[in-house]
Amino acid sequence: MSIISVNSLSFRYSYSDRYILKDISFSIGEKEFVLLAGASGCGKTTLARALVGLIPQFYEGEYSGEVRILGMNPATTPISKITAQVGFLFQNPENQIFMTTVERDIAFSLEFRGFSREEMKERVAWAMEIMGISHLALKRIEELSGGEKQKVALAGILALKPKILILDEPTAYLSPMSARELMGMLKRLNRELGITILLIDHRLDLAVEAAQRILVMKEGKLYIDLPIKEAFRQNLSKEYGVNVPTLIKILDVIRRQGFSLDPPPLTIEEFINLIKKGRTI
Amino acid sequence: MIVVENLYFTYAPQGDYVLKNINLEIGEGELIAIMGDNGAGKTTLVKHFNGLLKPTLGRVYVDDVDTRDVPISELSRKVGMIFQYPEKMFFSERVWDEVAFALRNFGYDEASINRLVQKILNIFWLWKYRDSSPFILSGGEQRRLAIASVLVWNPKYVVMDEPTAGQDAVQREILLQIINMMVSQGKTVILVTHDVEFVAEIRPRVILMSNGEVVYDGEATRLFRNPGILESAGLTQPILFKLESRLRDQGLIEGGFNTIDEAAKKIISLLGDERL
Ligand SMILES: Nc1ncnc2c1ncn2[C@@H]1O[C@H](COP(=O)(O)OP(=O)(O)OP(=O)(O)O)[C@@H](O)[C@H]1O
Ligand SMILES: Nc1ncnc2c1ncn2[C@@H]1O[C@H](COP(=O)(O)OP(=O)(O)OP(=O)(O)O)[C@@H](O)[C@H]1O
Ligand SMILES: [Mg+2]
Ligand SMILES: [Mg+2]
């Protein structure tokens, strides 16, 4: 059953002379982990805004088509009602963070949601723990490093334990190790708790190991909607400006020499197994 | 040349040191990547290069001038700084004005301003937004605008805090070319970055930080073949090097490879000659 569905969605921001979303249709089922990729400026953030209702409620413009998320219509449902169940990480965490200390900032996302004090405390502690920022609990937000701020923003969203996570470049400021840990954690949240995830990211090396399906946009249109492996049978870098994983870059060079390793490997283990099998088709 | 001598820094008067005993020499025409875990002190360190922060102990010299003795305005003409969160920097209503701002400040004539702004906006694919507000740009476009508005005046030293964050394949390639061009013109380019894959492409000198200290200062290639140091500082091996060591562990290859093309070649030699 799909819990996100988008039907012929088009959108043009007021005062802009062009459509940023052009007749987009797709759906995401419960417990799926989907990656949304595409060149800078192709409309990924705009699409995410439409899923949670910021478009057309906050960003006005020419809007047509139908969107449903957990049965709600984001064009007309109060945004706070949507974000009670859909965790949305803005591309720029600075926009998200308002409160004074780390702990209070994370707790803020839980206020007005009717949790008991105990439950709130527990969730805040849990979210800080899994983001590895417990030691920063009492620090003031403006005293954090760039990556630490990003972790606080993520913790605030995870504390809600939402049914759906929409994350707009959550790894942009994370160290490689933290990014790997985050991706591992998202994978567990998805596989074990059944949280549906839509991940927007330019760093695909890690994301392709966690996600199952990839959507690729170009200039406002959705061109690719495929299981990850199948998508990398074509050159996503050249056609769509996708910053493909290094393994795929190596694979592309091998393919240009007339060799074909298939299916495209997403991990080093898969790559080595393919080589061992000498599977030259 | 930028010289850092026994630098210690703390944000709060009685607080812990965020930078500890840092000693560096950064020469003209060098390409440098400052790397390390979140909170390691990278941004704090580079803010000393344009005098935004002053040492608590020790000294920082830019071209023999002690950063404590000159106003930021004087240093920042020489040391262009692109911040980690660029959108916080914007204050103009038009993309064009944002980029022209520094040039106007430095007293360039209108004709040069027009020429330089147009050139840099074109390089970063921002020309079509020249009359837009910086605030409606996408995340990646905003970062490019921040980069453009510093590179436009061609400072002698350029510090970029996370330049590749949010950039796609094409924009990374453009950035790579610009960086190489600046270095070949004798400019000093200092990147602060978590992007090990990008660093594996450009192979700069890497200054690796951990808990406020410099724990490695040298060639990128040598560092990337040392997962121990990398991981102790919150980094991971670039995929190319991980693949190399895994292939070697499995006895599939001898020696190694340094580039994507070399890796592909080695792998093809393992596959025999059954072409499509
Ligand atoms: N409020 C707005 N008004 C007008 N145009 C906008 C607005 N917000 C974004 N745009 C434009 O819409 C296009 C798509 O922006 P969007 O932020 O969706 O891109 P993106 O795919 O998320 O890119 P990136 O990877 O760089 O974050 C861009 O060209 C941008 O300039
Ligand atoms: N204004 C400030 N006041 C107090 N402490 C600060 C301030 N800015 C940063 N810190 C602290 O100093 C340490 C180093 O921060 P810095 O921003 O230099 O890290 P960084 O290496 O750039 O990390 P990141 O990769 O996350 O951006 C961190 O522990 C951070 O919490
Ligand atoms: Mg975006
Ligand atoms: Mg930083």
mmCIF file of all heavy atoms in Angstrom, chain A residues 45 91 168, chain B residues 139, ligand 3:
data_model
loop_
_atom_site.group_PDB
_atom_site.id
_atom_site.type_symbol
_atom_site.label_atom_id
_atom_site.label_comp_id
_atom_site.label_asym_id
_atom_site.label_seq_id
_atom_site.Cartn_x
_atom_site.Cartn_y
_atom_site.Cartn_z
ATOM 1 N N THR A 45 14.465 19.580 -3.602
ATOM 2 C CA THR A 45 13.963 20.226 -2.388
ATOM 3 C C THR A 45 12.533 20.721 -2.607
ATOM 4 O O THR A 45 11.678 20.624 -1.719
ATOM 5 C CB THR A 45 14.902 21.392 -1.996
ATOM 6 O OG1 THR A 45 16.185 20.854 -1.680
ATOM 7 C CG2 THR A 45 14.373 22.155 -0.794
ATOM 8 N N GLN A 91 17.180 21.174 4.190
ATOM 9 C CA GLN A 91 18.514 21.091 3.613
ATOM 10 C C GLN A 91 19.510 21.842 4.480
ATOM 11 O O GLN A 91 20.630 21.425 4.659
ATOM 12 C CB GLN A 91 18.483 21.675 2.200
ATOM 13 C CG GLN A 91 19.800 21.588 1.487
ATOM 14 C CD GLN A 91 19.621 21.674 -0.021
ATOM 15 O OE1 GLN A 91 18.521 21.891 -0.511
ATOM 16 N NE2 GLN A 91 20.688 21.477 -0.755
ATOM 17 N N ASP A 168 16.598 15.924 3.669
ATOM 18 C CA ASP A 168 17.190 16.670 2.559
ATOM 19 C C ASP A 168 18.681 16.878 2.848
ATOM 20 O O ASP A 168 19.063 17.761 3.612
ATOM 21 C CB ASP A 168 16.468 18.010 2.398
ATOM 22 C CG ASP A 168 16.692 18.624 1.018
ATOM 23 O OD1 ASP A 168 17.572 18.133 0.285
ATOM 24 O OD2 ASP A 168 15.986 19.600 0.690
ATOM 25 N N GLY B 139 19.977 24.795 -2.646
ATOM 26 C CA GLY B 139 21.106 24.675 -1.723
ATOM 27 C C GLY B 139 22.454 24.711 -2.427
ATOM 28 O O GLY B 139 23.362 25.447 -2.041
HETATM 29 MG MG MG C 3 18.023 20.991 -2.485
#
